[in-house]
Amino acid sequence: MEIFTTVWKDWTMYQKSSLLLMGICIFIILISCIYIITRNRRLIIHAIASILCSAIFTVGTMVILHVVFDERISYIYMLIPLVVFLVDIISLSMNLGYYTSTRNKKSFSPISVKKELLRDSLQLSIFIILLFSAISVFMGGALFTFVIAMGATALLIPWTNYLLLYWIYR
Amino acid sequence: MKKQPKITFNIKGILSFIVLALISAVMLAAVFIALPYTEKLTDIVSFNLVTKDQDYWTKVYTVSVASGNKKEIEDTKEIIYKRLRDFGVERVNISIGETTSEEIEVTSETEETTEEGEEAKEPEKKTVYKTPLYITVTTTKDTAYIEPLVSLQYEYKVMTRKNGINFDDSSNAMAAYLEENYNKTDFDHTAFRSVYITKLGTSTGGKAYFVIFKPWAHKVDDLRHFLEEHAGDTIGICVNGMVYQYNVPDTISSNVMLYTSTYAENAEDVKELSALYNSGHIPVELTLEDTEDKDTDIVSINYIKVMLGFAAALIVVYLYMFIFKTTKRIELVQSLLTTGIVLSLYISYLKITDTPIDSFILPIEAIITAILVKSLAGNRDSMIYIATAFIITLIFSSIWGTATIVHFSIQMIILTALSCILLPLTKWYINKVKHL
């Protein structure tokens, strides 16, 4: 894949190692926090799978844009992984918050967690669709593609989290 | 006679009213300043959103590395990248060209005399390697700072004066600054753990920037013995081929270090020097072969149209949630008001302080802030988790990310902090206004 070989060849070891270190540190700290707070294996698996999916979707988006649409992946596309990850954090944290506040209540059940995540995913999706569409209208060319790609990838995340939770708690 | 009714002052109520009025005034001022084109309405205070889009320039520097060794070339590439990154250059791309080699004759210093009948020895030949590095820099920084960062080896070492050289000769004022008039010592870049550039008092009573060389712990004793041997003498610190004088004090303090003066006059000079000294040691000679201006590949947007579009979309989203009753009304008002105030305060700050910003990042920050504020307002039980996870992620990405990520992360940290602070304040504000 040309994108990856170009990145591997042109990037310095400092760039590669600092980005790798950043990713690993964030991943370990967030998963550790989830473990300490919940001690729930299913939620930890859900979080790990969600973060990995967000990484796969981001890389997949860039590959599709480059290979299928012949789009040049420029420096602005570096923002997509971070923005998508921030949306993922919001989705996971909302689920985590609901779980920790209701786990000791009588009404708590996996179905209530799924329902809450569905409600949150719907709200997140409305925000993402409307706000990203609104700003993309005023952009042209490479910026338009960039914003649409970012919005589309971010939109996948809450629904992926919902599907993952549905699968984990089936 | 009827008793006059007592006039009682509700101090708490009056104070609440005054505070509410002040907060409302600040909010309105922030919104007014943040709105587009309002800077044209008044000349009293200057505020305008400064975008970096027009300030970017792109140059390709061709720097020749005097080596064919892959490791030395890679090390040089790493250090140049680190220098540029530490200086704050927004985009850097370094590619390695083809290594070329050339055989040159090495002439010996002593003349060789040949006796009659003896064949003259062939002069020694040495292979000289050259590898070009193509360094593409896109930045808003001053061009004068970039060239030294990409083309200077910036080696530094401690040296002692050679005997037999008159350093006080007024007809040869440069004698004291030439490396060839000094002897090498064991103390070079490997002996010092870090180099600081800081403002210190001068002998004339003013202040100037000085470079302070701090040795490694295991080299402190060696350096102390060396300085004690040369107590009262003048030694030299050779930096990039030019020698700076250092008068060794008669008594060496426990805090062993060396310092020299420097040309630095402002913060940018200090930043450049710090990048040159502390990014690593380039093992080979560098030569700047060529510089070429290129068209700058920068994305820019009409941020006024985009922000108006964003504001309209935000209102539509909240109207949707209001009409379809997906969220409580008070929560909607709180999060919409908080989003508006956070973004207004931030843009007002950028405008008043003339802080330059990449225009395309602003709408994305606005979207993430809107989503963040709504999530914080609508999920009280998740507030601490969302805020903590955001701050952790953004701190790490601001430290280890590349240029665009670093700027975005720092700005998002500010917006996240503002959102967390203003959310409970707007709730209090709404409650107080309701009960007025």
Side-chain angles (χ1 to χ4, degrees), chain A residues 9-15 18-19 21-22 25-26 29-30 33 37 72 74-76 78-79 82-83 85-87 89-90 93-98 100-102 116 119-120 122-124 126-128 130-132 134-135 138-139 142-143 146-147 150, chain B residues 77-78 81-82 85-86 91-95 297-301 305-306 309-310 313-314 316-318 320-321 326-327 360-361 363-364 367-368 370-372 374-375 378-379 381-382 385-386 389-390 392-394 396-397 400-402 404-405 408-409:
Chain A
K9 209 177 91 176
D10 285 351
W11 280 20
T12 59
M13 192 53 69
Y14 183 81
Q15 273 175 292
S18 56
L19 283 174
L21 199 59
M22 175 181 90
C25 284
I26 292 170
I29 289 175
L30 290 180
C33 289
I37 294 164
R72 195 178 131 251
S74 60
Y75 71 101
I76 55 176
M78 293 295 297
L79 275 180
L82 183 57
V83 167
F85 188 68
L86 290 175
V87 171
I89 283 174
I90 290 174
S93 301
M94 289 197 292
N95 188 38
L96 181 68
Y98 180 78
T100 52
S101 63
T102 57
E116 183 66 21
R119 188 183 77 92
D120 292 334
L122 203 57
Q123 282 204 355
L124 261 178
I126 294 165
F127 262 84
I128 290 168
L130 282 171
L131 293 178
F132 275 99
I135 67 165
F138 299 101
M139 296 186 182
L143 262 180
F146 162 69
V147 168
M150 184 187 282
Chain B
K77 179 181 167 182
E78 295 291 322
Y81 172 81
K82 199 165 176 299
R85 187 188 179 276
D86 288 349
R91 277 160 53 195
V92 180
N93 184 277
I94 307 177
S95 56
D297 173 27
I298 282 290
V299 288
S300 68
I301 59 167
K305 282 186 186 170
V306 172
F310 168 82
L314 196 67
V316 166
V317 166
Y318 277 89
Y320 168 86
M321 287 192 286
T326 59
T327 318
F360 80 96
I361 288 182
I364 297 163
I367 292 174
I368 299 298
I371 296 172
L372 172 70
K374 179 62 186 73
S375 308
N379 298 275
D381 37 24
S382 315
Y385 304 126
I386 297 173
F390 249 63
I392 289 172
T393 304
L394 292 168
F396 277 111
S397 55
W400 282 317
T402 57
T404 313
I405 293 177
F408 178 81
S409 302

Side-chain angles (χ1 to χ4, degrees), chain B residues 66-79:
Chain B
S67 173
N69 183 295
K70 199 176 172 192
K71 189 180 179 311
E72 286 178 344
I73 297 164
E74 286 291 340
D75 286 347
T76 306
K77 179 181 167 182
E78 295 291 322
I79 291 166

Side-chain angles (χ1 to χ4, degrees), chain B residues 420-434:
Chain B
C420 293
I421 292 166
L422 289 176
L423 205 55
L425 261 167
T426 48
K427 189 183 178 188
W428 173 85
Y429 177 81
I430 292 164
N431 283 334
K432 284 291 177 187
V433 166
K434 256 180 20 181

